[in-house]
Amino acid sequence: KNISIEYLDLNDVKNITVFINTLINRHKDIPYLINNAGVNINQYINKIRYRELIQSFNINSFSPLLIMQELIQQMKKNNFGRIINLTSGAPLNCFKGFGCYSASKSALNALTVTAAHEYSKYNIKINLMSPGPVKTEMAPDAPMDPSVCFPTMDYLLNLDDNGPTGKFFWLG
């Protein structure tokens, strides 16, 4: 399989459509998408600044939506696509100081499930995956290596026509 890892400033939502269209022109067919970016601005509710809230929503919710909007049109024509949006248990737990993160991931969850319902008849499977406490730049003290996510991602990328869509997957 051809795999392309691309970098884009997801806080700059105005350039996302141009960037994705450039990728579509370069690769012609993009049947798989993993929206993996995330940002956590750790602030108590009374300290959240508007620009921090916007940044959280831009990166955690709006950008994945804009990328999906562009790629879903091509997936629809091909009657095939697999999308994984990385999410978190944070919207369920709502830990102190995680208001921006929890709210923006909650929005991503709702957008993902809605898109899954809207495009299910086109064999486009759109699911959520929570990696759990894996070690990343955002969570350097987390106990698990990111490789623990590979089996779940592999499963979701290789779903057959009857596989689930609009679901939330934890590891395993």
Side-chain angles (χ1 to χ4, degrees), residues 4 15 29 53 82 84 102 114:
S4 177
N15 288 321
D29 181 30
L53 186 62
R82 301 294 180 263
I84 303 170
S102 296
T114 301

Side-chain angles (χ1 to χ4, degrees), residues 2 6 24 29 41 76 82 94 119 123 129 133 140 149 151 158:
N2 288 330
E6 304 290 338
I24 290 170
D29 181 30
I41 297 166
K76 187 175 158 185
R82 301 294 180 263
C94 297
Y119 294 96
N123 191 24
M129 186 189 122
C149 299
N158 290 294

Side-chain angles (χ1 to χ4, degrees), residues 54-72:
I54 292 301
Q55 180 185 10
S56 292
F57 273 84
N58 279 347
I59 294 171
N60 296 338
S61 308
F62 302 151
S63 293
L65 171 67
L66 294 171
I67 295 168
M68 282 193 310
Q69 285 176 324
E70 294 301 318
L71 291 181
I72 280 175

